[in-house]
Amino acid sequence: MGRIREFDEDQVLDAAMQLFWEKGYEATSLSDLTSRMGIQRPSIYSAFGGKKELFEAALRKYTMTRASLIRAKLQSNPSVKEGFRTFFEDVIVEEYAENPRKGCFCINTMVELAPHDEKFEILTREHQMYLAVIFEETIERGIQSGELEIGGNAKALSQALLISLIGLTVLIKSRPERSFIDNSIGMILTLLK
């Protein structure tokens, strides 16, 4: 009979996710993880496998949570244009005020690991494609309601918005002038005619 875990797996996974998000995969040591998670190495190995498996679990948790929040945010606004405007403005607030230089955990992983690790290339690409689907569904809602007149190419528009989001999130890490970001978002939103 196995031992009963003396920790909340979801809580320690959140702690690992925050640490990996702050430092990245390579810069995070097992000692950093045990300290932040409040558990010992054998417990990490028993619950998650190794460091790479723990990172994967943290990334999956982040992408699922993030996608759900984005979907809810866009669906809760009756206006598609206003929903996207609020969404992009919230990205700025999160990046400038709440998480300076932290960025998006998935995009950070895409930059750090995806070029060298096929598993993380696939995981980050899956998240991007899922967000594109959320954007496309939202755009289709705007077309059906008559709010948007984009010539019926919701998929291409959703992909352009996704690329804009990724570029914006990466750019914000270098802390450009806020007016530069605001002007860029204004132009991005003109895609939603």
Side-chain angles (χ1 to χ4, degrees):
M1 189 164 129
R3 288 186 55 187
I4 297 173
R5 291 202 175 119
E6 298 176 6
F7 59 88
D8 180 327
E9 194 170 311
D10 198 48
Q11 187 176 11
V12 298
L13 184 56
D14 276 340
M17 180 180 70
Q18 291 300 323
L19 183 61
F20 281 129
W21 193 354
E22 291 166 16
K23 296 181 78 170
Y25 177 76
E26 291 297 332
T28 301
S29 69
L30 279 171
S31 295
D32 293 334
L33 289 164
T34 58
S35 176
R36 179 70 67 92
M37 295 167 74
I39 61 175
Q40 299 302 314
R41 286 180 191 208
S43 295
I44 291 175
Y45 294 127
S46 173
F48 302 102
K51 177 182 166 184
K52 188 173 183 180
E53 292 81 12
L54 175 59
F55 186 88
E56 180 183 345
L59 179 62
R60 286 183 185 277
K61 179 175 181 138
Y62 173 86
T63 58
M64 288 174 49
T65 302
R66 185 74 179 143
S68 293
L69 289 171
I70 291 170
R71 180 183 293 279
K73 191 175 288 190
L74 290 173
Q75 287 180 346
S76 68
N77 200 313
S79 166
V80 169
K81 290 179 184 180
E82 184 63 23
F84 275 109
R85 186 188 64 73
T86 301
F87 168 70
F88 275 95
E89 287 175 354
D90 288 350
V91 168
I92 295 172
V93 170
E94 290 168 8
E95 299 300 321
Y96 268 91
E98 297 173 15
N99 302 317
R101 292 192 171 88
K102 197 170 173 183
C104 168
F105 184 31
C106 186
I107 293 172
N108 294 348
T109 303
M110 183 175 58
V111 172
E112 180 185 14
L113 296 178
H116 315 290
D117 190 310
E118 185 179 11
K119 176 176 268 191
F120 293 106
E121 174 190 339
I122 292 167
L123 287 173
T124 56
R125 187 174 53 241
E126 285 174 351
H127 180 62
Q128 294 161 30
M129 296 305 99
Y130 188 64
L131 292 182
V133 168
I134 293 170
F135 288 2
E136 185 176 355
E137 291 170 354
T138 305
I139 292 163
E140 288 288 352
R141 180 169 52 91
I143 292 169
Q144 290 171 2
S145 72
E147 181 182 1
L148 300 179
E149 299 174 18
I150 62 163
N153 200 346
K155 184 174 186 172
L157 178 55
S158 69
Q159 292 169 345
L161 290 172
L162 178 66
I163 289 170
S164 298
L165 172 65
I166 292 169
L168 181 68
T169 304
V170 172
L171 182 69
I172 287 175
K173 289 175 77 82
S174 69
R175 310 299 282 175
E177 291 292 322
R178 177 67 186 261
S179 61
F180 183 87
I181 297 298
D182 290 338
N183 291 338
S184 299
I185 288 177
M187 287 305 295
I188 291 167
L189 294 176
T190 63
L191 295 171
L192 298 167
K193 299 176 187 168

